[in-house]
Amino acid sequence: MDAGLEKIFEGILDGNANLVVAEVQKALDAGMGPADILNQGMIAAMGEVGRLFEEGEYFVPEMLIAARAMQKGLELLKPYLTEADVQSPGKVAIGTVKGDLHDIGKNLVAMMLEGAAFEVIDLGTDVSPERFIQAVNENGAQIIAMSALLTTTMPNMKNTIEALKEAGLRDKVKVMIGGAPVTQNYADQIGADGFAEDASRAVAKARSLLAA
Ligand code: B1M
């Protein structure tokens, strides 16, 4: 791995936000592509954090400070992931489903959607089906985008789709889902309109859902 990327990777593992910000800036100044910094440095590091947690070497506090360091790096990267002068393809309400507090992946998807000129309503984490419904009724969201990182919270994606049906809104809005444990198969099972494996595919999926 490139030495700068290695420092970003290690900085996230150590939860050293200052180091991550400094090294992301250095990498950008050196002309490295933002997608490489993101994928090879930052997302790879969060994968390693997950592995260390599974092996009992990291506990929740270590995961938390690693996540904070990642968020700081992402803030710096955000403007570099934006496409200029593109007309808005539509409005997306995004949130992590009820019971789930993981927001790095969700923030990344929101960031990439904004970068592609979508109007994004970020509902945050622990979002109830009722809150998603409100975003359709009151904010005119055309896509509901749900993220889940826990197998125990994935059923709340299905619950939200059921709630949209009960509210008579299912035909008025597209539903897109994603998150580490989520699969295309699960999306088909619960009747979601789309699934995306990562943030850049999420942008392509959102575009195609609105074009359909
Ligand atoms: Co948590 N956690 N965590 N955690 N955490 C996982 C998810 C876990 C897999 C770790 C592990 O065991 N290896 C595990 C879940 C196991 C399971 O469900 N089977 C786990 C657990 C168990 C827990 C707790 C229960 C721990 C505890 O308290 N005992 C607890 C739950 C709290 C809760 O939510 N109620 C918990 C807490 C936390 C922290 C708060 C400490 C922290 C989150 C901080 C934050 O988000 N602000 C945290 C973290 C950091 C992780 C890991 C290490 C990293 C997640 C991450 O940010 N990845 C994670 C391990 C792992 O995933 N390897 C883990 C980087 C991010 C960029 O990827 O979110 O997958 P990801 O997003 C990707 C794609 O999935 C996709 O795009 C992104 C990439 O481009 N994507 C979408 C995401 N959403 C999308 C939506 C779309 C489309 C694509 O369309 C709408």
Side-chain angles (χ1 to χ4, degrees):
M1 194 194 285
D2 169 274
L5 285 178
E6 205 160 307
K7 284 186 186 153
I8 294 168
F9 184 96
E10 291 298 332
I12 289 179
L13 282 190
D14 294 342
N16 186 340
N18 289 338
L19 180 76
V20 172
V21 168
E23 290 300 327
V24 168
Q25 188 62 61
K26 262 194 220 165
L28 288 168
D29 293 344
M32 190 177 288
D36 289 341
I37 300 173
L38 183 64
N39 294 320
Q40 294 169 35
M42 301 167 79
I43 294 182
M46 287 313 291
E48 179 64 3
V49 170
R51 193 188 67 76
L52 292 168
F53 178 74
E54 257 172 48
E55 292 189 351
E57 278 189 51
Y58 270 25
F59 297 94
V60 173
E62 284 88 357
M63 276 209 287
L64 202 51
I65 58 165
R68 285 201 190 127
M70 168 105 183
Q71 297 276 25
K72 288 286 171 202
L74 278 181
E75 279 167 28
L76 183 58
L77 218 48
K78 186 173 175 178
Y80 296 88
L81 297 168
T82 302
E83 290 170 25
D85 300 329
V86 183
Q87 202 194 344
S88 175
K91 204 182 261 191
V92 182
I94 189 167
T96 307
V97 294
K98 194 166 171 55
D100 201 322
L101 302 175
H102 295 85
D103 68 355
I104 297 177
K106 183 269 294 171
N107 291 346
L108 202 49
V109 173
M111 206 179 269
M112 299 289 275
L113 286 169
E114 276 175 4
F118 279 87
E119 253 186 89
V120 176
I121 307 158
D122 190 343
L123 303 173
T125 58
D126 191 21
V127 180
S128 65
E130 295 72 30
R131 185 68 193 91
F132 279 114
I133 286 174
Q134 198 184 3
V136 181
N137 280 331
E138 293 177 16
N139 306 106
Q142 296 157 285
I143 297 180
I144 292 292
M146 292 185 273
S147 179
L149 263 284
L150 299 172
T151 45
T152 49
T153 58
M154 283 167 63
N156 286 327
M157 296 176 149
K158 183 169 190 275
N159 295 340
T160 304
I161 292 177
E162 294 305 323
L164 284 167
K165 281 185 195 159
E166 277 165 32
L169 294 172
R170 187 62 190 95
D171 296 338
K172 297 199 173 82
V173 69
K174 300 287 182 190
V175 175
M176 185 169 106
I177 63 172
V182 179
T183 59
Q184 179 64 58
N185 192 25
Y186 185 69
D188 295 341
Q189 256 178 50
I190 66 169
D193 301 302
F195 157 77
E197 203 169 288
D198 59 37
S200 44
R201 288 191 178 99
V203 172
K205 180 56 74 178
R207 280 200 184 109
S208 72
L209 286 178
L210 289 184

